[in-house]
Every structure is written in C-alpha cells, then in structure tokens.
C-alpha cells in the first residue's frame, strides 16, 4: 500500500460479535473467545463495505432485535462513519480504539521523558482526552514533548473526546483480525494483486473466518 509509485488499495474490514467469553478452544481457561463473530472484508468505498457488512451481520443475527451496538474505530473517517449504517439498533456507542489513542500519545515523547508520557497517558486512561490534549501542549511548550507531533495528536484527541473513555465492552479486536485474516495472506511476499483479486481474496478470507 505504501510503496512509492505503486497502485494503492485498501482492504476495509469489520468483525461483529455478541460479546466475549473466557475458555475457548482446547479448554484454555485464559483464552478469550468472541461469541458468534461475523467477519466481512472487501475493497471498495465505505458505502459498499458497510452496506454489505451489515447484510452479512443480518445473515447471522436478527438485527431488528439489537438494542445497542458498541463500535470501535481508529479515527479513520470511513470507520467512524460506519455508525450511520448501524441505525437498526436503538443506540450506537462509538469508541476510539485505546491502542491507537495510546500509540498517538506515546509518539509525542522520546525515551528521556517517560514521566511526562505517563502523566499524559494517565489522563487518557481516566477518560479525560481534553486534559490529555492540554497536557501534551504544555509539555510541547516546555520542550519535553515533540511539538510537531503534538500539533497533530492534540486535535485528534479533542475531535474524538466523546468516544474516549466512555465505558462499555473491550473492543480490542481489529488488529489481530487484520493480522490473521487479511495480512497473513494479502501481505505475504512475494505477492502482487489486481484489485479484483485482492477483493476476492479478502471476501474469501472473511467468509472462512
């Protein structure tokens, strides 16, 4: 995707599930398993992805009976905009994935400012994204945070403040989903894909998952 001059395409992916439980395959009590997961991935526009993904969910679940949907996203517009396609539920609650928020804040500091990094992350862990953004800007003015990075991260936190620390279930699931379902096949070396081929493989992988 990121090679200079290369044709670019993005696999858009979603996984929906009814919850999580401990004690998955093999009787491993420490294993966390998703309940009735439905995966869907394809190349295409956000509208194409979401309308087909919701149809895939509807093939397993009675969506007319769904009361609340918790949706996790990383801040990308097409992910966050998916809430508009989930209005079959009475309530849709958005959550910015903690993995991405934590990584964004951590990028603002080098190894010599671990204390300041922890202070900023503590505000984030408390669900106060606005205070975290303020702290980052203070550290940048003092020279203990990377000003150029803070200039990107602070607005990112403020624009998603209502989706940070809002409670609800753990939604840390897309990174392993991407790695094991899509990247393990599509990112293998040496491989090159036409758009049609990549789309077909993404659909097959998600269906098998």
């Amino acid at each position: 995707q990121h090679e200079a001059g290369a044709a670019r395409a993005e696999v858009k992916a979603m996984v929906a599930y009814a919850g999580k439980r401990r004690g998955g395959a093999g009787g491993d009590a420490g294993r966390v398993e998703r309940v009735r997961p439905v995966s869907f991935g394809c190349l295409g526009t956000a509208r194409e992805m979401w309308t087909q993904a919701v149809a895939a969910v509807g093939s397993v679940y009675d969506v007319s009976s769904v009361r609340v949907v918790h949706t996790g996203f990383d801040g990308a517009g097409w992910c966050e905009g998916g809430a508009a396609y989930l209005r079959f539920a009475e309530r849709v609650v958005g959550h910015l994935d903690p993995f991405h928020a934590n990584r964004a804040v951590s990028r603002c500091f080098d190894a010599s400012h671990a204390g300041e990094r922890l202070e900023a992350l503590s505000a984030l862990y408390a669900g106060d994204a606005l205070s975290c953004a303020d702290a980052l800007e203070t550290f940048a003015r003092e020279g203990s945070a990377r000003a150029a990075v803070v200039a990107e991260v602070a607005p990112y936190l403020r624009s998603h403040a209502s989706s940070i620390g809002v409670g609800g279930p753990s939604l840390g699931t897309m990174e392993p989903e991407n790695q094991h379902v899509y990247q393990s096949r599509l990112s293998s070396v040496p491989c090159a894909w036409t758009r049609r081929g990549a789309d077909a493989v993404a659909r097959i992988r998600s269906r098998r998952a």
Side-chain angles (χ1 to χ4, degrees):
Q1 180 178 348
H2 301 294
E3 292 181 9
R8 295 180 59 170
E10 179 178 61
V11 173
K12 294 180 172 64
M14 175 221 70
V15 58
Y17 48 97
K20 293 182 179 180
R21 62 187 171 207
R22 290 200 173 273
D28 182 356
R31 179 184 173 88
V32 176
E33 182 178 73
R34 296 175 301 197
V35 179
R36 296 177 70 197
V38 181
S39 295
F40 181 80
C42 68
L43 270 69
T45 65
R47 178 180 177 81
E48 290 169 338
M49 181 271 176
W50 280 113
T51 54
Q52 294 175 63
V54 170
V57 173
S59 71
V60 174
Y61 291 96
D62 175 9
V63 295
S64 67
S65 299
V66 176
R67 298 291 174 259
V68 181
V69 173
H70 292 272
T71 175
F73 52 86
D74 64 0
W78 76 267
C79 290
E80 190 170 1
Y85 297 91
L86 304 173
R87 298 302 181 190
F88 53 78
E90 294 178 3
R91 188 162 64 102
V92 180
V93 183
H95 302 261
L96 185 68
D97 186 343
F99 171 84
H100 294 278
N102 295 349
R103 184 173 63 176
V105 171
S106 295
R107 284 177 47 231
C108 296
F109 302 95
D110 58 31
S112 64
H113 293 97
E116 291 86 346
R117 171 179 171 274
L118 181 59
E119 184 176 337
L121 286 173
S122 295
L124 193 66
Y125 296 155
D128 193 347
L130 298 180
S131 291
C132 181
D134 291 343
L136 291 177
E137 290 176 338
T138 297
F139 290 138
R141 287 193 296 270
E142 295 172 350
S144 55
R146 299 181 174 112
V149 180
V150 169
E152 298 175 5
V153 173
Y156 170 79
L157 294 176
R158 291 191 176 105
S159 65
H160 295 98
S162 63
S163 300
I164 295 174
V166 295
S170 167
L171 293 170
T173 195
M174 280 313 299
E175 295 304 319
E177 177 85 359
N178 288 337
Q179 179 182 353
H180 297 296
V181 177
Y182 304 102
Q183 292 177 10
S184 63
R185 186 67 181 90
L186 287 162
S187 296
S188 298
V189 177
C191 282
W193 302 93
T194 62
R195 284 181 171 270
R196 182 179 178 185
D199 179 64
V201 171
R203 290 171 183 274
I204 290 169
R205 295 286 292 178
S206 62
R207 177 61 63 89
R208 290 186 63 185

